[in-house]
Amino acid sequence: MTTGSLLGILLVAVVAFTSLSPQLGGTPTDPEKAAYAKSGHYQNGKFVNLLPTKELTGGSTVGVMWNFLFRKSPQAAPPGPLPQQPLDSLAIVRKTPELLRITWFGHSASLLEIAGQNILLDPMLSVKMGPVSWATPKRYNPALAIDPTKLPYIAAVLISHDHYDHLDYETIEKIKDRVGQFYVPLGIAPHLRAWGVPRNRITEMNWGDSVQLPNLKLRCTPSRHFSGRGLTNRNSTLWCSWVVQGASKRVFYTGDGGYGPHFAAIGRQYGPFDLAVVECGQYNEGWAEIHMKPEQSVQAARDVRAAVMLPVHWGAFTESLHAWNEPVQRATAEAARLGQVITTPHLGEPVTLGAALPQERWWER
């Protein structure tokens, strides 16, 4: 009974702490929930996928946690910080409208330069994650290629979903005053409002919605995933992928999610793409419908008809059981088998489309 009481007290303390933490975000109003119900993807107070999707495809939550705690690969994390190229903010400022360049910071956070504008994808640019950092994975590197406060003006921030490794409170706090507009799937606006982002600089979007920027169109497209930042708000916000379309260049970002026919549909409707930024990492047999294996990631790039694939969602945090570099090893092997061009830059190394692509196998060193 004493042990049970202690565990109960600990659980209550954790719930109370996280509930009070600003990291949890905000809560939608009743009129907002009523609007979500008209989206076509909202049932019984929760958002749903296009296809029936299980968050766990084998075992139980307790079993998954047990495996994560005690059965991770001995190489789950690298032996030291990963090689990283410091990013010069002045270099970001110097660009032409024809330039298509992307810089990956680790995990999914990337700076996309297209049509003369700066677009940030899922900017998780903190070393620690979430309201209880001792209980969540820590970034491999003690610092990033650039401090978020050093970034130049950002025309648009694109968020794919509200999980802590994609929507980071600390990063939003640092960049919010230098961002033109935040484009987010339905339900995420309350989080940003709670963190001080003005209402008029947040645009919520449903699958199929698009917005026009100068010389650039942004489209919110489907993904196959789930959402939630607390114990009681699972699937209370939508998740998505993104199409970024300039006058002559097109980029697709998958966000997180399992493999499905939506990739081929996006490829038919909006492709071909010059670049696909594809989730590739933090997969597990128990999450087979909400995260892709590396071979599926390569196939997704093929489905959307991408000239070049950039694998992301690895190289920063250990969130699954596989070795830290297994995703890129398997993805490069499958890309070679299928003839898919793939680029594998160092953290912070800019990739310019139309120039020589970084393809060094640096993760083997």
Side-chain angles (χ1 to χ4, degrees):
M1 288 182 64
T2 301
T3 301
S5 298
L6 289 173
L7 289 174
I9 292 170
L10 179 61
L11 178 61
V12 170
V14 169
V15 171
F17 176 78
T18 55
S19 297
L20 294 172
S21 171
Q23 294 259 8
L24 198 64
T27 302
T29 63
D30 288 339
E32 284 176 318
K33 292 179 182 179
Y36 304 158
K38 300 176 182 178
S39 69
H41 315 294
Y42 195 74
Q43 298 175 6
N44 301 317
K46 295 181 182 295
F47 286 98
V48 296
N49 284 290
L50 294 175
L51 296 177
T53 299
K54 296 178 181 178
E55 293 175 21
L56 280 179
T57 49
S60 64
T61 302
V62 173
V64 169
M65 292 301 298
W66 178 269
N67 289 338
F68 190 83
L69 290 172
F70 301 109
R71 295 183 180 177
K72 285 192 292 189
S73 166
Q75 291 79 42
L82 301 183
Q84 182 166 265
Q85 179 174 319
L87 184 62
D88 182 359
S89 59
L90 293 179
I92 303 170
V93 175
R94 296 191 297 268
K95 59 168 64 74
T96 63
E98 297 77 26
L99 176 71
L100 175 53
R101 183 166 60 190
I102 190 165
T103 305
W104 173 57
F105 299 111
H107 208 58
S108 295
S110 305
L111 172 65
L112 175 64
E113 299 170 80
I114 183 172
Q117 302 192 62
N118 297 320
I119 311 294
L120 265 181
L121 308 178
D122 282 348
M124 201 302 174
L125 301 176
S126 296
V127 173
K128 297 180 180 180
M129 183 195 306
V132 189
S133 59
W134 52 264
T136 53
K138 188 177 180 180
R139 189 177 287 269
Y140 303 148
N141 288 23
L144 284 91
I146 191 170
D147 187 280
T149 61
K150 304 297 184 184
L151 287 168
Y153 175 78
I154 303 298
V157 168
L158 307 186
I159 302 295
S160 66
H161 62 296
D162 73 354
H163 287 157
Y164 290 104
D165 56 336
H166 292 259
L167 177 60
D168 179 50
Y169 163 72
E170 299 287 352
T171 301
I172 301 300
E173 282 280 291
K174 291 177 180 179
I175 68 172
K176 63 185 179 184
D177 293 332
R178 294 192 313 285
V179 172
Q181 196 75 9
F182 290 84
Y183 297 95
V184 300
L186 296 174
I188 292 183
H191 296 328
L192 297 180
R193 293 199 304 264
W195 300 338
V197 179
R199 185 182 296 265
N200 64 353
R201 291 202 288 116
I202 307 169
T203 300
E204 278 195 338
M205 299 173 68
N206 189 16
W207 295 339
D209 288 349
S210 66
V211 294
Q212 184 69 51
L213 279 65
N215 304 314
L216 199 63
K217 179 170 282 190
L218 307 176
R219 298 181 186 274
C220 180
T221 46
S223 65
R224 190 182 185 190
H225 201 48
F226 71 110
S227 67
R229 293 177 73 85
L231 299 176
T232 60
N233 62 355
R234 180 62 63 93
N235 296 339
S236 61
T237 64
L238 189 60
W239 44 93
C240 73
S241 56
W242 289 99
V243 169
V244 182
Q245 182 179 346
S248 60
K249 306 290 185 181
R250 299 185 184 195
V251 175
F252 176 65
Y253 170 45
T254 64
D256 278 8
Y259 184 74
H262 58 287
F263 290 121
I266 290 168
R268 287 191 300 269
Q269 190 166 6
Y270 304 119
F273 293 94
D274 298 276
L275 173 70
V277 183
V278 185
E279 179 213 52
C280 182
Q282 321 317 317
Y283 47 85
N284 185 274
E285 290 293 344
W287 310 327
E289 295 184 0
I290 56 172
H291 284 293
M292 291 186 283
K293 295 178 181 178
E295 294 77 14
Q296 293 175 314
S297 298
V298 176
Q299 187 58 53
R302 304 285 285 175
D303 289 352
V304 301
R305 300 189 289 155
V308 178
M309 171 188 173
L310 171 63
V312 299
H313 210 245
W314 70 285
F317 304 101
T318 295
E319 296 181 298
S320 189
L321 309 180
H322 56 68
W324 73 272
N325 57 359
E326 180 186 293
V328 69
Q329 290 176 337
R330 290 174 57 174
T332 52
E334 182 68 359
R337 188 182 76 84
L338 295 180
Q340 172 65 52
V341 178
I342 190 170
T343 185
T344 53
H346 292 79
L347 305 181
E349 180 181 7
V351 177
T352 302
L353 275 291
L357 296 173
Q359 294 180 317
E360 179 189 351
R361 301 178 68 86
W362 56 266
W363 58 87
E364 294 179 347
R365 294 204 303 268

